[in-house]
């Protein structure tokens, strides 16, 4: 067992088995051993769209500008990014916003929501050349509720903690992490879960079927929707996920670009799960906003004009033309990230459909 596994085992000895959500939180955010708490996993374990091509962040920035225009350019807009990673998406977005709508930056403010001190330092460094009003906070909270909200979240919801329930002969039992034979192991709670936790659409699950849900994702989406509905603005959520939930489990560990065992080296791999876009859309409606999509990342970026943007970049950097084309293909091609990743947008009921949807 590594040091974090030993600490988790001690916690289990005192408090009993952990839910998958508690386990994921420790693996990702433990200040000493967590994948995000202690180091930067981006690039080492996995690569994200903004790290592949600058066009991704630029188009996200222009999406914000278009939505802001469509709503009559409200005063004092606030641009929030959830989980900004290395700050690359925000840097590319700010460059595009500064060129297309400098007034947005003069009048608005930027807030980055980031828990990891390591990544926060990288973001500060990356964004130090921008004159915009930029600040940081650890979580989305009420201080972000008093202005029009334009929110970006790429590969953020996939790393929010989720709970798992497995259909058994005695009902739906929660999947837990416990200790067996001196190692971390999965176990099912002996008591069946309260049936009201399980949506009626899951009633037909076969024995062994898994229901996953992320209370943190649903609560956060509803909160964002409330602000967007009350203040105006919009949210763009891009992630890998599904809009027709199955009965399989999607929690996965990735280390050095390869699948790894979820339990064996906690903190040394990135843990994530597929995003249930239908559930997020329902949470958005519950918060009083409209939800658009999800649509494939490839279609979304193509509609926003990634083709012409790539042409411009290639013309300006002829030596890198084939690398630029390959990077854009990776984002758009349905055999690569184009279909696996999807985009969901939230907008006020009174606003026109957001760009790309
Ligand atoms: N959006 C970036 C990074 C994706 S990785 C990109 O596309 O490259 C996930 C990011 O979310 C990291 O910055 C991580 O530190 C942050 N993060 C994960 N869980 C978080 C939480 N609960 N609150 C705030 N930030 C979180």
């Amino acid at each position: 067992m590594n040091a974090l596994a030993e600490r988790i085992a001690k916690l289990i000895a005192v408090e009993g088995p952990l839910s998958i959500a508690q386990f994921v939180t420790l693996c990702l955010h433990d200040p000493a051993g967590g994948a995000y708490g202690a180091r930067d996993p981006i690039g080492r374990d996995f690569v994200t769209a903004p790290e592949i091509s600058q066009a991704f962040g630029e188009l996200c920035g222009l999406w914000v500008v278009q939505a802001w225009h469509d709503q009559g350019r409200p005063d004092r807009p606030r641009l929030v990014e959830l989980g900004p990673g290395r700050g690359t998406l925000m840097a590319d977005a700010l460059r595009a916003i500064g060129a297309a709508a400098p007034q947005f930056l003069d009048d608005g403010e930027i807030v980055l929501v980031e828990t990891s001190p390591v990544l926060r330092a990288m973001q500060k460094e990356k964004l130090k050349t921008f004159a915009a009003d930029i600040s940081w906070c650890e979580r989305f909270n009420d201080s972000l509720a008093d202005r029009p909200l334009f929110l970006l979240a790429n590969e953020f919801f996939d790393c929010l903690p989720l709970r798992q329930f497995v259909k058994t002969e005695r009902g739906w039992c929660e999947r837990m992490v416990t200790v067996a034979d001196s190692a971390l192991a999965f176990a099912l709670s002996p008591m069946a879960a309260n049936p009201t936790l399980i949506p009626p659409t899951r009633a037909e699950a076969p024995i062994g079927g898994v229901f996953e849900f992320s209370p943190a994702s649903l609560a956060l989406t509803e909160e964002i929707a409330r602000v967007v509905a009350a203040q105006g603005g919009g949210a763009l959520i891009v992630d890998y996920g599904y809009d027709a939930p199955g009965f399989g489990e999607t929690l996965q560990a990735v280390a050095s670009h390869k699948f790894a065992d979820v339990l064996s080296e906690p903190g040394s791999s990135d843990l994530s799960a597929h995003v249930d876009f239908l559930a997020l859309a329902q949470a958005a409606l519950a918060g009083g906003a409209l939800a658009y999509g999800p649509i494939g990342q490839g279609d979304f970026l193509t509609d926003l004009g990634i083709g012409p943007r790539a042409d411009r970049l290639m013309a300006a950097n002829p030596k890198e033309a084939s690398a630029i084309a390959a990077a854009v293909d990776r984002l758009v091609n349905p055999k690569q990230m184009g279909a696996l990743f999807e985009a969901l947008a939230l907008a006020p009921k009174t606003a026109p459909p957001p760009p790309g949807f």
Side-chain angles (χ1 to χ4, degrees):
M1 282 204 216
N2 67 14
L4 181 55
E6 280 181 11
R7 277 192 288 128
I8 291 174
K10 278 189 191 141
L11 187 64
I12 292 170
V14 176
E15 296 199 0
L18 303 179
S19 71
I20 300 294
Q22 291 168 305
F23 176 73
V24 168
T25 300
L26 289 167
C27 291
L28 294 184
H29 301 294
D30 182 81
Y36 289 109
R39 62 193 178 86
D40 164 26
I42 302 167
R44 203 195 84 133
D45 290 333
F46 59 95
V47 183
T48 58
E51 304 295 336
I52 292 171
S53 167
Q54 69 183 76
F56 185 85
E58 291 168 349
L59 291 173
C60 289
L62 295 178
W63 184 90
V64 168
V65 169
Q66 186 64 49
W68 178 68
H69 270 286
D70 289 347
Q71 292 178 37
R73 295 191 291 281
D75 290 342
R76 302 173 69 233
R78 178 180 283 129
L79 172 58
V80 172
E81 186 181 356
L82 304 179
R86 295 178 160 181
T88 308
L89 188 160
M90 186 53 85
D92 294 333
L94 289 182
R95 224 178 33 253
I97 297 172
Q103 191 193 337
F104 183 102
L105 297 184
D106 293 345
D107 189 31
E109 68 167 31
I110 318 295
V111 180
L112 289 91
V113 178
E114 176 60 69
T115 40
S116 154
V118 177
L119 290 174
R120 211 183 256 224
M122 287 179 87
Q123 294 153 16
K124 284 203 168 123
E125 181 62 26
K126 180 71 103 344
L127 299 174
K128 68 179 183 205
T129 53
F130 290 95
D133 172 1
I134 307 181
S135 60
W136 276 260
C137 64
E138 280 212 6
R139 50 183 47 85
F140 191 93
N141 57 37
D142 285 349
S143 73
L144 303 175
D146 60 350
R147 291 190 184 197
L149 171 70
F150 294 88
L151 180 136
L152 300 172
N154 184 60
E155 288 213 43
F156 175 79
F157 282 89
D158 65 341
C159 59
L160 292 188
L162 78 164
R163 295 174 70 179
Q164 291 184 326
F165 296 86
V166 181
K167 178 88 175 273
T168 71
E169 300 286 1
R170 57 181 196 279
W172 287 92
C173 295
E174 183 155 13
R175 205 156 169 239
M176 313 291 286
V177 176
T178 186
V179 178
D181 299 330
S182 311
L184 297 177
F186 289 117
L188 290 182
S189 66
M191 299 281 289
N194 182 334
T196 58
L197 268 177
I198 312 296
T201 49
R202 293 308 173 112
E204 297 310 313
I207 297 296
V210 177
F211 166 59
E212 295 185 330
F213 91 115
S214 167
S217 299
L218 303 185
L220 175 58
T221 305
E222 191 172 326
E223 216 177 321
I224 293 165
R226 261 184 229 297
V227 181
V228 165
Q231 302 284 349
L236 176 63
I237 296 169
V238 182
D239 229 306
Y240 55 96
Y242 50 86
D243 48 10
F247 293 115
E249 72 140 333
T250 73
L251 178 69
Q252 64 187 32
V254 172
S256 307
H257 304 272
K258 292 200 183 83
F259 289 113
D261 185 72
V262 169
L263 296 178
S264 62
E265 301 269 329
S268 67
S269 56
D270 179 65
L271 287 187
S272 63
H274 289 204
V275 170
D276 183 348
F277 280 108
L278 212 56
L280 293 195
Q282 279 160 355
L285 299 184
L290 286 185
Y292 293 86
I295 57 171
Q297 170 175 292
D299 289 343
F300 174 66
L301 294 174
T302 302
D303 194 75
L304 292 187
I306 198 166
R309 179 64 189 138
D311 293 342
R312 291 276 292 276
L313 288 172
M314 289 191 283
N317 309 277
K319 283 199 191 123
E320 290 167 38
S322 60
I324 293 168
V328 167
D329 185 61
R330 191 165 164 197
L331 296 183
V332 170
N333 190 325
K335 294 201 179 103
Q336 301 207 47
M337 293 169 78
L340 181 63
F341 282 73
E342 296 188 273
L344 178 82
L346 274 50
K349 287 182 180 156
T350 49
F357 289 87

